[in-house]
Amino acid sequence: MSTLLRIENLSAGYGDAVVLNDIHLTLDQGQTLALLGRNGVGKTTLFKMIVGQEKPDSGELKVGTTVELGYVDQNRDALKPENSVYQEISGGHDTIEMGGKKMNARSFVARFNFMGTDQQKL
């Protein structure tokens, strides 16, 4: 079984506010992980570290060499208001490549519960 993610002694904060303190985690192939918690406890910070958008203050975070990350953040700054939901998610392409496999873009958008005409909403 291969290790997908390994975190050791990870800590991070913003100024005096510590949001992650001495986190240890190993996620192996086939395992599922859910992060739950109130606002401000570091869930988004941890995801940003995993995808390389932020660095920890201390500790180590290693993503497996065969892992392909896909991440959709909660900010909407990059969305173009003139685009439909379908256009934003698919980039206007009929197919999307995920993990080396091609998938129908409309089916992929439907996985986010945007069905039928909802895909054309701005």
Side-chain angles (χ1 to χ4, degrees):
M1 191 179 312
S2 67
T3 298
L4 305 177
L5 176 67
R6 187 171 52 80
I7 297 172
E8 294 180 1
N9 305 99
L10 188 98
S11 295
Y14 301 97
D16 291 337
V18 176
V19 293
L20 300 170
N21 186 26
D22 198 28
I23 303 295
H24 295 263
L25 170 73
T26 300
L27 183 64
D28 291 322
Q29 185 175 355
Q31 291 182 315
T32 302
L33 174 70
L35 292 179
L36 305 172
R38 66 187 191 324
N39 290 344
V41 298
K43 299 179 303 289
T44 299
T45 300
L46 180 59
F47 276 110
K48 286 182 176 181
M49 287 181 196
I50 292 170
V51 299
Q53 291 179 357
E54 291 190 15
K55 301 288 182 206
D57 294 336
S58 63
E60 185 176 30
L61 185 149
K62 288 194 177 186
V63 177
T65 56
T66 61
V67 173
E68 290 185 34
L69 295 170
Y71 174 68
V72 179
D73 71 25
Q74 59 191 349
N75 297 320
R76 298 182 185 113
D77 300 340
L79 296 178
K80 296 177 184 169
E82 67 274 9
N83 283 353
S84 67
V85 170
Y86 173 77
Q87 289 169 316
E88 281 295 319
I89 295 174
S90 71
H93 301 286
D94 291 333
T95 58
I96 294 175
E97 190 170 323
M98 296 291 292
K101 297 179 183 177
K102 288 192 176 188
M103 167 185 264
N104 178 281
R106 294 224 177 255
S107 296
F108 180 72
V109 174
R111 288 185 174 191
F112 295 93
N113 288 327
F114 291 104
M115 309 291 186
T117 57
D118 285 344
Q119 292 187 7
Q120 296 312 116
K121 291 181 180 177
L122 300 181

